[in-house]
Amino acid sequence: MDQTERRSFLLRRLLDEQPRYRGMEIPSDAEAQKQLLRGLFNVRMPGGIGDEFLRIQDEYLQEETRQKGVTRLKDLTSVEPGIYLWQGDITTLACDAIVNAANAGMTGCYQPCHNCIDNCIHTFAGVQLRNACAEIMEKQGYEEPTGRAKITPAFNLPSRYVIHTVGPIVQGPLTERHEEQLASCYRSCLQLAEKSGCRSIAFCCISTGVFGFPQDRAAEIAVETVRTYKKTNHSNIEVIFNVFQNRDHERYRDLLG
């Protein structure tokens, strides 16, 4: 199968899986097909789907990532000892662990084609990631508290693991409690990464999107917490601050080095 054939197979299986979508016409345009496929991945609830689907899905997602281009840690230049700044798509970054800014439900973003990092990571990891998160949450029996972290395999992403953390939601004035919760996210991820044998970890800008944490202060807390953790624990873990927007790159560039 080529990518077009794989995409067509996945679309038909996902459409047929849900009665409300059966009979929906698949667009002829490749980009429209990709958007539809992503949306179907996003709204699909956790659950088994069969080995054939998973095999073809894995082939499709891995080829999509290959075409986008994979960035490896060895390709980056540190801005401080053991600390890197990289602007790009975290789903194409090959390191030991990438951090997902999750919600309290921990099973991903269900809004079709939403551009949050939670949605992107779950889309390109494949349906296995949502299933793995759902299994963790079923065993836990309650929503994930703010400031903690959970780890899963990365499945079809080029990293080894995804570490999921729930950042604070800021809907009014920023408080010391919000700041401590955000710092706890970074510490929890670092601790869990090292406990799991990771030598490198890439952080997204936790809580700065729809969660409303002021971006300048969030960057300060991220850098302060990572520096303190590495110094206090004599840690050699390599940390990548991953940003997507130019303004975030400027913020971190001013704080680092």
Side-chain angles (χ1 to χ4, degrees), residues 199-255:
R199 293 176 150 184
S200 58
I201 183 172
F203 283 105
C204 61
C205 301
I206 301 167
S207 275
T208 57
V210 295
F211 279 20
F213 205 106
Q215 293 168 315
D216 287 339
R217 184 61 184 134
E220 291 172 354
I221 291 169
V223 171
E224 290 168 3
T225 306
V226 166
R227 282 173 171 163
T228 299
Y229 177 90
K230 286 174 65 66
K231 181 178 180 180
T232 303
N233 295 281
H234 307 288
S235 172
N236 292 319
I237 192 167
E238 296 186 286
V239 175
I240 305 159
F241 288 111
N242 165 243
V243 298
F244 197 72
Q245 303 290 340
N246 290 336
R247 183 68 186 95
D248 285 323
H249 189 272
E250 293 170 3
R251 287 186 179 94
Y252 279 87
R253 186 187 60 199
D254 291 343
L255 291 167

Side-chain angles (χ1 to χ4, degrees), residues 18-132:
Q18 300 193 48
R20 59 179 170 161
Y21 298 138
R22 287 175 191 162
M24 180 183 291
E25 185 176 347
I26 297 175
S28 58
D29 177 71
E31 286 305 313
Q33 289 179 3
K34 290 181 180 182
Q35 284 295 100
L36 176 58
L37 181 59
R38 177 169 176 168
L40 290 169
F41 276 137
N42 298 156
V43 300
R44 186 180 189 272
M45 299 300 291
I49 197 167
D51 292 341
E52 184 183 24
F53 179 93
L54 293 177
R55 176 179 61 80
I56 294 173
Q57 174 213 245
D58 293 355
E59 292 172 354
Y60 177 80
L61 291 174
Q62 289 169 27
E63 176 60 18
E64 287 293 293
T65 298
R66 188 195 69 78
Q67 291 180 14
K68 287 188 289 187
V70 173
T71 299
R72 304 184 184 281
L73 179 60
K74 65 182 180 62
D75 300 326
L76 305 181
T77 301
S78 63
V79 290
E80 291 183 8
I83 297 179
Y84 303 77
L85 175 60
W86 179 68
Q87 184 174 12
D89 178 356
I90 201 169
T91 67
T92 65
L93 184 59
C95 61
D96 284 341
I98 62 171
V99 172
N100 178 29
N103 57 52
M106 291 288 279
T107 58
C109 169
Y110 287 82
Q111 183 176 333
C113 301
H114 191 239
N115 205 32
C116 68
I117 194 167
D118 196 15
N119 188 296
C120 294
I121 287 174
H122 275 269
T123 296
F124 295 105
V127 299
Q128 299 98 314
L129 182 58
R130 179 163 285 170
N131 289 342

Side-chain angles (χ1 to χ4, degrees), residues 44-47 98 100-110 118 121-123 125-144 149-155 157 161-166:
R44 186 180 189 272
M45 299 300 291
I98 62 171
N100 178 29
N103 57 52
M106 291 288 279
T107 58
C109 169
Y110 287 82
D118 196 15
I121 287 174
H122 275 269
T123 296
V127 299
Q128 299 98 314
L129 182 58
R130 179 163 285 170
N131 289 342
C133 290
E135 183 177 350
I136 290 171
M137 296 309 290
E138 184 178 0
K139 290 179 180 177
Q140 180 165 290
Y142 53 87
E143 289 191 335
E144 181 72 0
K150 294 287 191 295
I151 191 168
T152 63
F155 298 102
L157 300 173
Y161 299 105
V162 178
I163 295 179
H164 311 259
T165 189
V166 181

